[in-house]
């Protein structure tokens, strides 16, 4: 009812037919979730679990021994002079 007492017909903000479409979509989603989550197991009812083929602790007995890296050699044969901090001012 308006402030002056005029009766107003009830309405919703949904577009025409949108409420029905959303209801149908909701039922479809519920059906998919309900049928998709079935707990049906073929066989004796027990699901075989995968067995690990890994042996712990892991050891690398056949790996080659680590090599000691030689000191790096300079890539140029002449000395490079860098400015000292006193000369930078």
């Amino acid at each position: 009812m308006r402030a002056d007492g005029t009766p107003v017909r009830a309405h919703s903000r949904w577009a025409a037919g949108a409420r029905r479409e959303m209801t149908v979509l909701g039922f479809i989603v519920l059906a998919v979730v309900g049928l998709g989550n079935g707990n049906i197991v073929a066989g004796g009812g027990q699901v075989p679990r995968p067995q690990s083929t890994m042996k712990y602790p892991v050891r690398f007995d056949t790996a080659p021994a680590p090599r000691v890296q030689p000191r790096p050699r300079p890539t140029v044969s002449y000395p490079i002079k860098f400015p000292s901090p006193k000369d930078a001012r």
Side-chain angles (χ1 to χ4, degrees):
M1 198 169 282
R2 291 192 179 153
D4 63 357
T6 309
V8 179
R9 190 175 58 145
H11 66 281
S12 70
R13 293 180 175 263
W14 288 73
R19 184 176 311 248
R20 180 181 171 276
E21 289 180 5
M22 285 300 291
T23 304
V24 170
L25 181 65
F27 282 126
I28 291 172
V29 168
L30 285 173
V32 168
V33 169
L35 295 175
N37 289 337
N39 199 6
I40 300 171
V41 178
Q46 291 183 344
V47 179
R49 308 279 298 171
Q51 298 297 320
S52 175
T53 58
M54 195 67 199
K55 295 181 182 177
Y56 293 98
V58 178
R59 293 195 175 99
F60 299 99
D61 297 331
T62 59
R67 297 184 327 187
V68 176
Q69 296 290 331
R71 291 185 51 90
R73 295 189 312 221
T75 57
V76 294
S77 60
Y78 52 88
I80 299 174
K81 293 186 180 182
F82 293 97
S84 65
K86 290 187 254 175
D87 296 340
R89 292 184 182 201

